[in-house]
Amino acid sequence: MGAQLRVYKRRIRSVTATKKITKAMEMIAASRIVKAQRKVAASTPYATELTRAVTAVATGSNTKHPLTTEADQPTRAAVLLITSDRGLAGGYSSNAIKAADRLTERLRGEGKEVDTYIVGRKGVSYYGFRERKIADSWTGFTDSPSYADAKQVAGPLIEAVQQDTSEGGVDELHIVFTEFVSMLTQTPVDRRMLPLSLEEAALQSGAKGGEVLPLFDFEPSAEDVLDALLPRYVESRIYNALLQAAASEHAARRRAMKSATDNAGELINSLSRLANAARQAEITQEISEIVGGASALADATAGSEK
């Protein structure tokens, strides 16, 4: 076997092994998408009813609260960015990071200082490499988040909202994540969680335009009710965003691994054609050498007979 043919066969074996790995990762990601979608569907009713309750309290009282009241001159904002812990998912994390950068630039253009909170090793590595300040970060659960993870993330954010800006608090709370639209479409989005816009709350809770809301009596007070709803609302929004991001991550990884598998198959076919051509060239050369040797031998024999 010639040296060139050995090189082609070695590359074919290497690419074939890679193709098996990418195919297995594609199948694993596809199976995890279904589980993530089920979790998103299961969390939606709770988030909807909680938003409806917040809307009812906000519209039924005149209490000023960080959950529903905007500051006269907001000066600080917190941005929660959700990325992935692992790679091999195409542009999933980079697209979310770009959306967060655009939001940060817009907020700074409005004269607000921005504190960045990050979920996922990819975002932490990106900001760390560029020496950007991070207020807090969490890693290790992006592919399968739980409600306990959402509570862990929500804790510092709720504390920042409840503090005064002079003590390191914030006036606004934004979240950037990748929304799962379909198996083929995942869109990076930014949402303002606090203060809650009543129009947005009515839309999220499914309330119809012009609907007359019932009157409520709050016990012990509307402010106490809002204090109790604030952490639940933030936790539910973050949990839903984490689930959406997890489903989007698995979908992006499945698509990336499928592309890698297809490319590996095309490369194997190309290398196989080159290997066949090299083998045919070797066979042709061997035949030529045999024919040439036989001809030389025949000439030598004829010369000796004379």
Side-chain angles (χ1 to χ4, degrees):
M1 183 184 298
Q4 190 176 20
L5 183 58
R6 283 196 298 269
V7 170
Y8 286 139
K9 287 187 175 294
R10 184 166 60 249
R11 290 190 62 188
I12 289 173
R13 288 194 297 268
S14 176
V15 176
T16 300
T18 302
K19 181 181 178 181
K20 291 180 180 179
I21 295 173
T22 56
K23 184 64 177 179
M25 295 183 67
E26 176 189 348
M27 296 176 66
I28 293 172
S31 66
R32 290 179 176 177
I33 293 174
V34 178
K35 296 179 182 178
Q37 285 180 295
R38 290 174 181 173
K39 289 184 178 180
V40 172
S43 69
T44 300
Y46 175 78
T48 300
E49 291 304 319
L50 185 56
T51 305
R52 187 186 297 273
V54 172
T55 305
V57 177
T59 56
S61 68
N62 295 323
T63 302
K64 292 186 177 181
H65 194 273
L67 184 60
T68 57
T69 304
E70 296 192 23
D72 294 333
Q73 293 181 345
T75 58
R76 293 180 64 88
V79 175
L80 174 62
L81 168 62
I82 300 178
T83 62
S84 67
D85 287 322
R86 298 185 293 123
L88 301 177
Y92 166 77
S93 293
S94 61
N95 291 335
I97 291 172
K98 290 177 183 178
D101 288 343
R102 290 192 295 268
L103 174 62
T104 301
E105 291 178 4
R106 176 167 60 82
L107 293 174
R108 287 174 177 169
E110 296 172 357
K112 302 171 186 174
E113 297 182 23
V114 178
D115 294 337
T116 304
Y117 298 77
I118 301 178
V119 175
R121 291 189 179 92
K122 290 299 179 180
V124 173
S125 299
Y126 179 88
Y127 275 68
F129 180 77
R130 287 158 180 78
E131 298 182 352
R132 297 183 183 179
K133 184 179 179 181
I134 301 175
D136 206 344
S137 62
W138 303 266
T139 60
F141 53 81
T142 59
D143 58 344
S144 182
S146 64
Y147 195 81
D149 298 324
K151 290 184 66 175
Q152 180 183 1
V153 175
L157 296 171
I158 295 172
E159 183 179 353
V161 170
Q162 293 175 333
Q163 286 181 344
D164 189 81
T165 53
S166 61
E167 300 176 355
V170 297
D171 299 310
E172 298 177 0
L173 177 56
H174 300 259
I175 184 170
V176 179
F177 64 99
T178 305
E179 185 178 29
F180 182 84
V181 180
S182 67
M183 295 287 285
L184 298 177
T185 305
Q186 301 85 43
T187 307
V189 296
D190 63 87
R191 299 280 188 267
R192 191 181 77 170
M193 286 193 291
L194 294 177
L196 178 65
S197 170
L198 295 183
E199 292 79 6
E200 181 183 354
L203 181 62
Q204 293 177 11
S205 63
K208 299 179 180 178
E211 180 180 356
V212 178
L213 297 176
L215 297 176
F216 292 91
D217 290 329
F218 302 105
E219 184 66 32
S221 66
E223 184 176 359
D224 292 333
V225 173
L226 287 171
D227 286 338
L229 287 176
L230 174 62
R232 302 292 180 269
Y233 171 75
V234 175
E235 290 167 5
S236 67
R237 289 289 299 272
I238 292 177
Y239 182 51
N240 186 265
L242 288 172
L243 294 178
Q244 293 265 4
S248 300
E249 177 185 348
H250 295 316
R253 182 169 291 111
R254 185 201 67 83
R255 188 169 60 252
M257 291 300 98
K258 185 179 186 307
S259 178
T261 302
D262 294 341
N263 291 337
E266 294 178 1
L267 182 57
I268 290 172
N269 293 334
S270 177
L271 291 173
S272 297
R273 287 192 296 268
L274 292 174
N276 291 335
R279 183 162 58 87
Q280 291 173 1
E282 289 182 5
I283 293 173
T284 302
Q285 183 178 359
E286 290 176 359
I287 293 175
S288 299
E289 292 174 353
I290 292 173
V291 172
S295 177
L297 182 61
D299 293 342
T301 302
S304 62
E305 290 178 354
K306 292 179 180 179

